[in-house]
Amino acid sequence: MKTAIFSTHKFEKDYLVKANGEKHLVKFIDAHLSYETVELVNGHKAVSIFVNDDASSRVLHKLKDLGVQFLALRSAGFNNVDIKAASEMGIRVARVPEYSPYAVAEHATALMLALNRKLIKAHSRVRDSNFSLDGLAGFDMHGKTAGVIGLGKIGRIVVKILNGYGCKVLAFDITEDKEFAKKYDLEYVTIDVLCEKSDIITLHVPLNEGTKYLINKDRINKMKPGVMLINTGRGGLLDTKEVIKALKICKIGYLGLDVYEEEQGLFFEDHSDEILQDDVIARLMTFQNVLITSHQAFLTDTALQNIADTTIDNLDCFEKGTSCKNELK
Ligand code: NAI
């Protein structure tokens, strides 16, 4: 089946080529899918996209007009796709629901440790032959209260890791799994109580209407002074401007971000030869206690292999006309 793969990155191409073999006639496209680039799909029945491609209703309409029938997401999150519009137009959509929750959970906790123990600053000092320890003191994770928002596949692994550190874990989710709570000695609380009581807060919910700006001015006000906030979920879960205000008054003591509200067009690309136009991320980058990675939490060899294999499986299912367990409706 002729498939146009948008936003193809160097880090994933070999995995996709290997998983595909000779099955589908794939065209790798560097560009993002957007209203401006959609014409590139001409003649392709299927399209594959990544997290920052635009599959809003107006782009889907164009895809439909160009004969596209299937959208294969190379991601778990699907906040960039208008699923309702796709379904009304008869464009089927499938995702990769799970590729390595371990990769993301491990990255979230890596951000915690790197921030806490000031590893980035320590590394650059040592490289500069400055072996002083002044200003590098961290805190024991052991005994701290960690609040995990979203206890799905990733959040649960985060809980297990935090258990290993000896943290007391609080959790918030719209559904409660009492057995898991008992086994891992965690307490379900409301989001406001979680904000009030946690030393570390980490976000693992999808971005949807119910979670947009879940961390807003009111909730930040409820947090402990010097709280550590980690977001590997989606940028829109945080009101970034309010977060900056809280960093300026030391209300937030540490911020670890793998995602950013306005990451589209910024993350995954090399902009090192350009003047940075985004004033909000520019301000974030000035804080010593902010650590930003550009949406790389998923980036392990296991995850890349699983993403490629599942994407090709989803294309196979569509081509054969069989039901696809990863289809979004
Ligand atoms: P999941 O679907 O297994 O778990 C999500 C959890 O959030 C569920 O337990 C659900 O009940 C809960 N939830 C949903 N809406 C909620 C609400 N309004 N309030 C409270 N809880 C709510 O998803 P998984 O695999 O754990 O992934 C979580 C998110 O992580 C994804 O949606 C995606 O946005 C993000 N992600 C980020 C990656 C990265 O590289 N930074 C890679 C993969 C996922």
Side-chain angles (χ1 to χ4, degrees), residues 7 32 74 124 133 149 152 270 304 307 319:
S7 296
H32 295 300
R74 305 196 300 288
S124 35
L133 298 184
I149 300 182
D270 180 1
L304 289 169
I307 290 170
E319 192 178 30

Side-chain angles (χ1 to χ4, degrees), residues 298-310:
F298 73 99
L299 196 66
T300 65
D301 53 359
T302 308
L304 289 169
Q305 188 67 60
N306 290 338
I307 290 170
D309 289 346
T310 307

Side-chain angles (χ1 to χ4, degrees), residues 97-108 152-158 161 204 232 297-298 300 302-303 306:
E98 174 178 341
Y99 32 89
S100 174
Y102 299 98
V104 185
E106 288 165 15
H107 191 81
K153 292 181 283 295
I154 296 168
R156 283 167 193 247
I157 295 161
V158 170
I161 297 172
H204 303 288
T232 60
F298 73 99
T300 65
T302 308
N306 290 338

